[in-house]
């Protein structure tokens, strides 16, 4: 009965956090094990007793301060220095700027919202098809869950009980591989449709753009450098990055006013609390998973089909693709990790880092695919392009992601070589 209640509430559109908590309550009542009610609140709270979770609001705050402090615009200008002169230069600028932003914001939805507003009108003004401009921006948002720091990696690392810093390292090569595949898609489309010719900056313009971007570049350097050198944990790096973003926006660029801090703190608190509540609710939902022995039952089913880790990951990719179309990526990570990760590790000897990268990248595809497609509608809202038109130009990028997922599933070293 419990699985039916769970599925029914999801189909009704009940928020995932409430679905998890109410399903756990229903299960306790149905099982007659009422003593579990006494520790319900304690179990929820214990799900939040993880230092790594502090990184979530801190990375969100860093993104807020970047947008408010004018750093996004300067990063886009710096990207123009490196790729602006190629034919279709503005499309490559969009991609490189998305890579910069992914290394700072760590949230696909936030990145799509920022970049769609900044890049789509500019690409349209230079003669690009509006649907393609919006699709390129939306696809760039898929870099956020893979290029560190990534909020999905933070949550997965907490659930999988693995070092978040190592999880960030696992995403570097896949992130670069994904960006290269997007560049190949842009090149191929440009060969067919004939993009406008780009213009290189003059030497003085290039130096000026790079000089004004240098302070903003300190943020990803502080985040990634601190983790790589072992100077700071991901949470400490996020705190340092938010402080740097505030000081740069206020004292150097002069666009971030101290009086705007309260509103940024409020937005961060509201957005982070939704994610934190989902994690707390997932902790009590773990009772259902444990008592119903879901991983063991699913493992018996899947291992009867195949014993090959690669085929297992292909099956998981198909499952995740379907789940990601219906449920928000972060919610899906919280739901699925406790069920599928033990099977991957215990029955197929798959690295938790490989599994995490594949899962997070796959689930974020749901942002851009109907019927939910939150990222698709954010892009549409910010750019003024209809979702259907965006989707028509988006499919080559989605195909590229599917190919990368197969490659990451086949070659585990791509996700484990940097983690030692």
């Amino acid at each position: 009965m419990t699985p039916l209640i769970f599925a029914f509430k999801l189909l009704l559109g009940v928020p995932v956090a409430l679905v998890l908590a109410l399903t756990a309550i229903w299960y306790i009542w149905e099982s007659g094990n009422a003593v579990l009610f006494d520790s319900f609140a304690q179990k929820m709270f214990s799900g939040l007793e993880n230092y790594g979770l502090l990184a979530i609001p801190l990375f969100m705050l860093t993104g807020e301060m970047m947008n408010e402090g004018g750093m996004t615009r300067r990063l886009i200008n710096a990207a123009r220095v490196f790729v602006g002169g190629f034919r279709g230069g503005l499309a490559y600028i969009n991609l490189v700027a998305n890579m910069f932003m992914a290394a700072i914001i760590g949230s696909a939805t936030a990145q799509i919202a920022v970049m769609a507003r900044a890049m789509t009108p500019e690409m349209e003004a230079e003669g690009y098809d509006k649907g393609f401009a919006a699709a390129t921006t939306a696809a760039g948002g898929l870099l956020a869950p893979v290029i560190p720091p990534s909020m999905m990696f933070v949550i997965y690392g907490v659930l999988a009980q693995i070092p978040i810093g190592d999880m960030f390292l696992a995403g570097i090569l896949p992130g670069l591989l994904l960006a290269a595949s997007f560049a190949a898609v842009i090149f191929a489309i440009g060969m067919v449709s004939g993009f406008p010719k780009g213009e290189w900056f003059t030497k003085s313009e290039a130096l000026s753009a790079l000089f004004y971007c240098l302070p903003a570049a300190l943020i990803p350097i502080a985040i990634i450098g601190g983790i790589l050198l072992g100077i700071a944990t991901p949470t400490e790096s996020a705190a340092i990055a938010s402080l740097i973003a505030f000081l740069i926006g206020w004292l150097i660029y002069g666009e971030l006013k101290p009086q705007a801090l309260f509103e940024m703190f409020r937005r961060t608190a509201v957005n982070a609390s939704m994610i934190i509540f989902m994690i707390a609710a997932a902790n009590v939902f773990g009772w259902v998973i444990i008592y119903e022995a879901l991983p063991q039952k699913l493992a018996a089913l899947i291992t009867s089909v195949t014993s090959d880790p690669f085929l297992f990951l292909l099956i998981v990719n198909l499952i995740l693709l379907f789940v990601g179309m219906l449920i928000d990526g972060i919610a899906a990570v919280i739901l699925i990790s406790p069920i599928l990760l033990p099977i991957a590790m215990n029955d197929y000897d798959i690295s938790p880092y490989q599994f995490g990268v594949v899962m997070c990248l796959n689930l974020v595809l749901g942002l851009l695919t109907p019927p939910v497609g939150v990222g698709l509608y954010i892009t549409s809202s910010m750019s003024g392009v209809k979702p259907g038109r965006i989707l028509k130009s988006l499919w080559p990028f989605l195909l590229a992601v599917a190919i990368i997922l197969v490659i990451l599933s086949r070659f585990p070293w791509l996700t484990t070589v940097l983690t030692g």
Side-chain angles (χ1 to χ4, degrees):
M1 186 66 180
T2 302
L4 292 175
I5 296 294
F6 175 78
F8 179 68
K9 284 183 288 194
L10 274 180
L11 290 173
L12 282 180
V14 177
V16 173
L18 290 178
V19 171
L20 296 172
L22 292 173
T23 301
I25 292 171
W26 178 275
Y27 184 81
I28 295 169
W29 177 78
E30 191 180 48
S31 66
N33 196 3
V35 70
L36 292 176
F37 281 125
D38 297 334
S39 55
F40 190 91
Q42 184 181 5
K43 188 72 174 173
M44 285 193 79
F45 185 76
S46 67
L48 305 179
E49 291 182 312
N50 190 299
Y51 176 65
L53 288 176
L54 279 173
I56 294 173
L58 289 170
F59 281 131
M60 285 182 167
L61 183 60
T62 302
E64 290 277 355
M65 289 182 174
M66 277 195 59
N67 296 337
E68 194 78 23
M71 280 160 263
T72 304
R73 186 175 66 255
R74 289 170 175 85
L75 286 171
I76 293 172
N77 222 25
R80 192 183 289 270
V81 174
F82 300 104
V83 292
F86 296 124
R87 182 169 293 279
L90 203 53
Y92 293 110
I93 289 168
N94 195 345
L95 178 61
V96 174
N98 267 297
M99 287 181 66
F100 289 158
M101 296 296 290
I104 299 167
I105 294 181
S107 164
T109 49
Q111 184 173 324
I112 288 170
V114 171
M115 295 303 292
R117 195 166 54 238
M119 290 302 301
T120 308
E122 193 169 344
M123 288 182 71
E124 186 187 11
E126 288 203 16
Y128 291 83
D129 175 73
K130 197 172 182 180
F132 173 77
T136 305
T137 307
L142 298 179
L143 296 168
V146 189
I147 293 180
S150 160
M151 258 187 291
M152 290 179 83
F153 280 0
V154 172
I155 294 166
Y156 174 79
V158 169
L159 295 171
Q161 297 182 343
I162 57 176
I164 295 169
D166 286 348
M167 193 64 219
F168 283 175
L169 295 178
I172 292 176
L173 280 182
L176 294 174
L177 193 61
L178 187 63
S181 72
F182 286 172
V185 168
I186 292 171
F187 178 78
I189 294 174
M191 291 287 287
V192 174
S193 58
F195 286 151
K197 191 179 183 306
E199 290 185 12
W200 292 107
F201 274 164
T202 63
K203 186 177 179 180
S204 61
E205 288 172 335
L207 290 173
S208 175
L210 291 174
F211 176 76
Y212 283 111
C213 175
L214 278 178
L218 286 174
I219 298 171
I221 291 171
I223 295 171
I224 307 302
I227 295 168
L228 284 175
L229 297 174
I231 299 170
T233 66
T235 302
E236 291 163 350
S237 294
I240 293 166
S242 60
L243 177 61
I244 292 173
F246 170 68
L247 293 175
I248 290 171
W250 177 35
L251 299 177
I252 297 179
Y253 294 150
E255 295 186 27
L256 178 58
K257 306 302 178 187
Q259 50 266 39
L261 282 176
F262 177 79
E263 180 57 27
M264 284 189 285
F265 288 150
R266 187 193 67 79
R267 284 198 302 267
T268 300
V270 169
N271 293 331
S273 63
M274 292 188 289
I275 297 172
I276 298 298
F277 181 47
M278 271 198 289
I279 295 170
N283 211 45
V284 293
F285 182 73
W287 278 335
V288 180
I289 294 172
I290 291 168
Y291 284 107
E292 286 294 306
L294 288 179
Q296 293 87 336
K297 291 176 183 176
L298 195 57
L301 175 64
I302 297 176
T303 50
S304 68
V305 176
T306 180
S307 59
D308 186 347
F310 176 53
L311 287 179
F312 166 75
L313 282 175
L314 291 183
I315 293 169
V316 167
N317 272 312
L318 290 174
I319 295 170
L320 294 177
L321 192 61
F322 176 73
V323 170
M325 289 180 179
L326 302 174
I327 305 174
D328 172 73
I330 288 176
V333 168
I334 294 168
L335 267 174
I336 291 170
S337 295
I339 299 172
L340 290 181
L341 180 61
I343 302 172
M345 293 176 64
N346 301 329
D347 294 276
Y348 292 93
D349 198 28
I350 293 171
S351 162
Y353 300 107
Q354 181 190 14
F355 188 81
V357 171
V358 168
M359 181 173 68
C360 291
L361 177 56
N362 191 313
L363 287 174
V364 85
L365 274 176
L367 279 174
L368 303 178
T369 51
V372 180
V374 175
L376 194 62
Y377 295 109
I378 290 173
T379 309
S380 175
S381 173
M382 293 296 176
S383 63
V385 185
K386 290 182 178 179
R389 187 175 173 187
I390 298 173
L391 201 56
K392 185 179 178 183
S393 299
L394 190 62
W395 73 263
F397 294 100
L398 299 181
L399 180 61
V401 176
I403 293 169
I404 296 301
L405 280 170
V406 173
I407 292 171
L408 294 176
S409 300
R410 181 66 183 84
F411 302 106
W413 64 268
L414 287 168
T415 51
T416 58
V417 67
L418 296 179
T419 61

